[in-house]
Amino acid sequence: MRFIEGGVCAAKGYKASGVHCGIRKQTTKKDLALIVSDKKASAAAVYTQNLVKGAPIAVTKANIKDGKAMAVICNSGNANTCNANGIEIAEQMCELTEKYAGISKNDVVVASTGVIGQPLDIEPIASKMEDLVSELSYNGSSNAAAAIMTTDTVKKETAVSFEIGGVECRIGGIAKGSGMIHPNMATMLVFVTSDVAISPELLQKALSEDVQTSFNMISVDGDTSTNDMVTVLANGMAGNKEITEEGEDFEAFKKALNTVTVYLCRKIAGDGEGASKLLECKVTGAKTDKAAKGSAKSVICSSLLKAAMFGADANWGRVLCALGYSGEDLDVDKIDVRFKSCKGEILVCKDGSGVDFSEEKAKEILLEKEIEILVDLNDGEYSATAWGCDLTYDYVKINGDYRS
Amino acid sequence: MRFIEGGVCAAKGYKASGVHCGIRKQTTKKDLALIVSDKKASAAAVYTQNLVKGAPIAVTKANIKDGKAMAVICNSGNANTCNANGIEIAEQMCELTEKYAGISKNDVVVASTGVIGQPLDIEPIASKMEDLVSELSYNGSSNAAAAIMTTDTVKKETAVSFEIGGVECRIGGIAKGSGMIHPNMATMLVFVTSDVAISPELLQKALSEDVQTSFNMISVDGDTSTNDMVTVLANGMAGNKEITEEGEDFEAFKKALNTVTVYLCRKIAGDGEGASKLLECKVTGAKTDKAAKGSAKSVICSSLLKAAMFGADANWGRVLCALGYSGEDLDVDKIDVRFKSCKGEILVCKDGSGVDFSEEKAKEILLEKEIEILVDLNDGEYSATAWGCDLTYDYVKINGDYRS
């Protein structure tokens, strides 16, 4: 397997585009994205578990109920959530896709991201559909990736090439994250495309299993969004023998999918609202898978630890504290904690108590942009990784007045 | 019932003091407190549910196992947690209290607050015990309240006078809060004293019930501390007929206790680390008590909402979002949300959707220091209140380098 260029257009038969339609005032910010497959594709999705759900989620669910889709349309700047006419507007976005791109409205995945509770005007979208479709290109991934961004500071796209039964296949994706990131069964918007031939059932199975160790293990601020959605389209244009059961081919696909999703997870966490650092908590030696995941997630979610990491402060007591309230069954007296970055690794806690360490060395390690928090529970065979970011002045600034 | 002066010394027979012993470098900051009852008192306590527990908690538990205590000693600047010799040091603090104040070491409540994972040196404490005891005074509450502060910016003390069976009784308390505030069965350090005569069993019952609606309903940052502790001493010196069963007298005591604890809750939340505003979320119309409490707590804990409140931004979508991921059984389409302060009240969401409202009026309301977030679930008879604070630049600043 190797990383390749092309993002959501890396797989065969996918075009994408992104334009500024006017939902966002700033004219240099694209706010409408379209992804189209040349062939009808197997489709799978996972959605937010928040009881408050964006209107597009209901429409997308209905459209891919048959396991098939051919296009994704997504706007940023307005979440189309908690509005009286949300469903109607989401359906109109599908109808516009049918009218301008010639794709059945029932084969459209529709998504929105941005502020909650303000009516989404269909006019700007309708007025730019012609441009959006005419700009569709097999090299359009980065335009689409730009158009789905809200407070994201970098575009998030990746792709890999791999083999199934001797046939070269590709899978790629784009994502938007930033704030309100604490997914439960799904995350913010992630659109993945592949040219693998795979049945809708197995595609859904692969995705549902994948998110347990990828998007469900990120947190920026503990807030589970109302609009989280991850979708995968797989149009079969690679020419592999269709995957219709578990086995070697399915595992190869899952591995490639996980490479793409973990890459996007790291990008989303590292570009969390206001973040200056990516935090990666690796828990080993847990009694159960649940204890491993719960422990890693609890550390990543601690506001106090996040603030300490912003200050490059080796305050490992906050790691212990977060493990202690994780709700998992842990033996506190067995826990070891290390901090690690490209500048080295340092043991700060052994058997649940502090050890002498060089504050200077710890500072040097923690001043880097990617920090690993290594927790060994020394109590079993399970491990898990969770991703987060530091808590900074900019997080407060961005969210103190997001709507203006 | 009426509020009176005197804090933890308002009840008959309680002396208190606070000195600088040198755990904290800053010589103007008191860091050692003592509270002593003239008579042996009924004692009750609740403690943190964090698996990582401060050493003083184990020692206090053992000492008040018989339902009796006579003194409280507490240092700030070091939590005496995750140290190899923590228990030994906590026991030495009790022994020093016996030696200098003449109170059996087994009747001492001991507590510590501050940084986790650094050895606590007994020397500074031992060297100032004589001063600490000689400064004990029936007017010493504010010295003790000052000595238990860490990043708190204001002293937290209160007291009320009330009647039981025609006899005037008093109950008062001091507290420290600030960061790592998300109690579970107990909160940061709160010491309450009363001159009521009440059996240890009923005192514990009153306290255990009280914290469910008081300290367990506060959150500053979602981090449950390792050292949370609330204790109540009741020495019987008011002269009421001892409360040994539930009934009118017990209810009168509980009401007075709740007045003191809710006052301290509001103080702790409003003085959360970096806080510029007190947030009070009142949920009504819930199907169950659990749904009411869970909903109110979820709103108060949302980083996104907390940041919006800092910016006086009426971003009610974040209230809905937090209710949606609370895990409680709610009907989203019935929810109404209002913001309220001394400047008035404004409806921002009706039946789960936005309503037209004056942004100018909302801003005026939200610029105040105490904000009420009123959520009507319109789905039942239960209600609950939770307290929190906004998320500010100062929270990040304080916690980015707490140890230095």
Side-chain angles (χ1 to χ4, degrees):
Chain A
M1 195 182 333
R2 62 190 176 86
F3 282 96
I4 56 174
E5 297 294 309
V8 81
C9 298
K12 273 193 194 170
Y14 291 94
K15 285 182 270 196
S17 63
V19 300
H20 171 78
C21 76
I23 297 167
R24 301 180 73 114
K25 288 166 205 158
Q26 197 191 333
T27 54
T28 54
K29 171 67 185 80
K30 293 182 199 293
D31 53 12
L32 187 61
L34 184 63
I35 305 167
V36 170
S37 172
D38 290 346
K39 281 183 59 179
K40 203 184 260 205
S42 291
V46 287
Y47 310 95
T48 184
Q49 295 299 298
N50 196 315
L51 289 181
V52 179
K53 285 185 173 62
I57 286 181
V59 176
T60 295
K61 267 190 182 165
N63 286 354
I64 68 166
K65 210 174 166 186
D66 62 354
K68 296 287 176 182
M70 205 163 160
V72 177
I73 185 165
C74 175
N75 72 278
S76 61
N78 186 314
N80 193 18
T81 301
C82 299
N83 301 320
N85 68 341
I87 297 282
E88 195 184 315
I89 296 292
E91 284 173 346
Q92 284 178 23
M93 286 172 71
C94 299
E95 286 157 16
L96 286 167
T97 307
E98 174 167 317
K99 181 173 170 191
Y100 288 91
I103 286 163
S104 163
K105 64 183 181 183
N106 299 320
D107 288 328
V108 178
V109 167
V110 57
S112 297
T113 177
V115 67
I116 297 169
Q118 290 182 2
L120 173 59
D121 189 357
I122 197 70
E123 274 315 311
I125 298 172
S127 73
K128 289 289 177 184
M129 281 303 295
E130 205 171 327
D131 292 354
L132 187 69
V133 170
S134 74
E135 289 185 20
L136 278 171
S137 148
Y138 290 116
N139 295 313
S141 178
S142 66
N143 287 333
I148 65 173
M149 290 164 68
T150 54
T151 50
D152 303 66
T153 67
V154 294
K155 282 183 280 191
K156 297 166 187 77
E157 45 178 349
T158 190
V160 295
S161 163
F162 61 107
E163 282 193 8
I164 290 182
V167 177
E168 194 183 353
C169 301
R170 284 146 294 258
I171 184 165
I174 60 174
K176 65 93 33 190
S178 223
M180 215 179 257
I181 302 288
H182 183 82
N184 184 3
M185 287 301 293
T187 184
M188 291 306 289
L189 302 179
V190 181
F191 304 119
V192 176
T193 55
S194 177
D195 46 22
V196 164
I198 183 168
S199 70
E201 294 72 25
L202 281 164
L203 187 62
Q204 184 66 50
K205 182 175 168 63
L207 177 61
S208 296
E209 288 174 5
D210 185 81
V211 297
Q212 305 301 333
T213 58
S214 58
F215 300 110
N216 281 2
M217 294 300 285
I218 331 177
S219 186
V220 166
D221 49 16
D223 281 270
T224 301
S225 161
T226 55
N227 288 49
D228 291 348
M229 185 194 290
V230 184
T231 67
V232 186
L233 302 186
N235 66 10
M237 290 176 72
N240 64 299
K241 183 168 172 295
E242 192 184 15
I243 302 170
T244 53
E245 58 189 25
E246 293 188 52
E248 202 182 319
D249 292 356
F250 183 64
E251 290 308 316
F253 177 74
K254 277 186 68 175
K255 195 175 162 198
L257 176 63
N258 193 249
T259 304
V260 167
T261 56
V262 165
Y263 179 95
L264 294 173
C265 280
R266 288 175 54 98
K267 281 286 179 191
I268 289 172
D271 190 36
E273 273 177 346
S276 75
K277 286 174 201 299
L278 168 68
L279 307 181
E280 187 165 47
C281 180
K282 293 180 173 172
V283 170
T284 53
K287 256 188 237 177
T288 61
D289 180 56
K290 179 179 167 293
K293 287 195 174 114
S295 300
K297 199 93 184 258
S298 190
V299 170
I300 285 301
C301 290
S302 160
S303 291
L304 284 170
L305 178 71
K306 287 151 60 82
M309 291 298 100
F310 173 58
D313 181 11
N315 199 331
W316 59 268
R318 292 176 179 176
V319 177
L320 266 274
C321 177
L323 292 168
Y325 65 66
S326 65
E328 304 303 337
D329 178 20
L330 314 172
D331 184 342
V332 173
D333 296 333
K334 290 184 177 172
I335 300 173
D336 301 340
V337 179
R338 288 172 175 81
F339 292 118
K340 183 179 172 186
S341 74
C342 62
K343 286 290 165 59
E345 184 177 320
I346 193 163
L347 178 75
V348 289
C349 170
K350 176 84 188 150
D351 301 331
S353 287
V355 294
D356 276 336
F357 64 88
S358 157
E359 290 279 353
E360 202 181 331
K361 178 70 190 169
K363 195 83 172 178
E364 192 194 346
I365 288 169
L366 295 178
L367 281 170
E368 289 302 310
K369 306 285 283 179
E370 296 194 0
I371 308 297
E372 289 176 50
I373 303 153
L374 307 177
V375 175
D376 194 338
L377 300 174
N378 289 303
D379 206 21
E381 298 302 315
Y382 290 87
S383 60
T385 302
W387 298 273
C389 60
D390 54 346
L391 176 61
T392 69
Y393 298 123
D394 281 349
Y395 178 85
V396 178
K397 187 173 180 186
I398 291 164
N399 288 298
D401 205 4
Y402 173 64
R403 296 186 311 157
S404 59
Chain B
M1 194 183 332
R2 63 191 174 85
F3 281 96
I4 57 174
E5 296 295 308
V8 81
C9 297
K12 273 191 191 168
Y14 290 94
K15 286 184 271 200
S17 63
V19 300
H20 171 78
C21 76
I23 298 167
R24 301 179 72 113
K25 289 165 204 160
Q26 196 191 336
T27 56
T28 53
K29 172 66 184 79
K30 295 181 198 294
D31 52 14
L32 188 61
L34 184 63
I35 305 166
V36 170
S37 172
D38 291 347
K39 280 183 62 179
K40 203 184 261 204
S42 292
V46 286
Y47 309 95
T48 183
Q49 296 299 298
N50 196 315
L51 289 181
V52 179
K53 285 184 173 60
I57 286 181
V59 176
T60 296
K61 267 190 183 166
N63 286 353
I64 68 166
K65 209 174 166 186
D66 62 353
K68 296 287 176 182
M70 203 162 163
V72 176
I73 185 165
C74 175
N75 73 278
S76 61
N78 186 313
N80 193 18
T81 301
C82 299
N83 302 320
N85 68 341
I87 297 282
E88 195 184 313
I89 297 291
E91 283 172 347
Q92 284 177 23
M93 287 172 70
C94 299
E95 286 156 16
L96 287 166
T97 308
E98 174 166 314
K99 180 174 172 191
Y100 288 91
I103 286 162
S104 164
K105 64 183 181 184
N106 300 319
D107 287 330
V108 178
V109 167
V110 57
S112 296
T113 177
V115 68
I116 298 170
Q118 291 183 2
L120 173 59
D121 189 359
I122 197 70
E123 274 317 309
I125 298 172
S127 73
K128 290 289 178 182
M129 281 304 295
E130 205 171 328
D131 292 355
L132 188 69
V133 170
S134 74
E135 289 185 20
L136 278 170
S137 150
Y138 292 115
N139 295 313
S141 177
S142 67
N143 287 333
I148 65 173
M149 289 164 69
T150 54
T151 49
D152 303 66
T153 67
V154 295
K155 282 183 282 194
K156 298 166 186 76
E157 46 179 349
T158 190
V160 296
S161 162
F162 61 107
E163 283 193 7
I164 291 182
V167 177
E168 193 183 355
C169 302
R170 283 144 295 260
I171 183 165
I174 60 174
K176 66 90 34 190
S178 222
M180 216 179 259
I181 303 288
H182 182 83
N184 183 4
M185 285 302 290
T187 183
M188 289 308 288
L189 302 179
V190 180
F191 305 119
V192 175
T193 56
S194 177
D195 46 22
V196 164
I198 182 168
S199 69
E201 294 73 25
L202 281 162
L203 186 62
Q204 184 66 50
K205 184 176 168 62
L207 178 60
S208 295
E209 289 174 4
D210 185 81
V211 297
Q212 304 302 333
T213 58
S214 59
F215 299 111
N216 280 3
M217 294 300 285
I218 329 176
S219 186
V220 166
D221 49 17
D223 281 88
T224 301
S225 162
T226 55
N227 288 48
D228 291 349
M229 185 193 291
V230 184
T231 67
V232 187
L233 302 186
N235 67 10
M237 290 177 72
N240 63 300
K241 183 170 172 296
E242 190 185 17
I243 303 170
T244 55
E245 57 190 25
E246 294 187 54
E248 202 180 320
D249 292 356
F250 183 66
E251 291 307 316
F253 177 73
K254 277 188 66 175
K255 193 174 162 196
L257 177 63
N258 193 251
T259 304
V260 167
T261 56
V262 166
Y263 179 94
L264 294 174
C265 280
R266 289 174 54 97
K267 281 285 180 195
I268 289 172
D271 190 36
E273 272 178 346
S276 74
K277 288 175 200 296
L278 168 68
L279 307 181
E280 188 166 47
C281 180
K282 294 181 173 170
V283 169
T284 53
K287 257 188 233 175
T288 62
D289 180 55
K290 179 179 168 293
K293 286 196 174 111
S295 300
K297 199 90 185 262
S298 189
V299 170
I300 286 301
C301 289
S302 161
S303 291
L304 284 170
L305 179 70
K306 287 152 61 83
M309 292 296 101
F310 173 57
D313 180 11
N315 199 332
W316 60 268
R318 293 176 178 176
V319 177
L320 266 273
C321 177
L323 292 167
Y325 66 66
S326 66
E328 303 303 338
D329 178 20
L330 314 172
D331 185 342
V332 173
D333 296 333
K334 288 183 177 173
I335 300 174
D336 300 340
V337 180
R338 289 173 175 80
F339 292 117
K340 183 180 172 185
S341 75
C342 63
K343 287 290 165 60
E345 184 178 319
I346 193 162
L347 178 74
V348 288
C349 170
K350 176 86 188 149
D351 302 330
S353 288
V355 295
D356 276 336
F357 64 88
S358 157
E359 289 279 352
E360 201 181 334
K361 178 70 189 169
K363 195 82 173 178
E364 192 192 348
I365 289 169
L366 295 179
L367 280 170
E368 288 302 309
K369 306 285 282 179
E370 297 192 3
I371 308 297
E372 289 176 50
I373 302 152
L374 308 176
V375 175
D376 195 337
L377 299 175
N378 290 304
D379 206 22
E381 298 302 315
Y382 290 86
S383 60
T385 301
W387 299 274
C389 60
D390 54 347
L391 175 62
T392 69
Y393 297 123
D394 281 351
Y395 178 85
V396 178
K397 186 173 182 184
I398 292 164
N399 289 299
D401 204 5
Y402 172 65
R403 296 185 312 156
S404 58

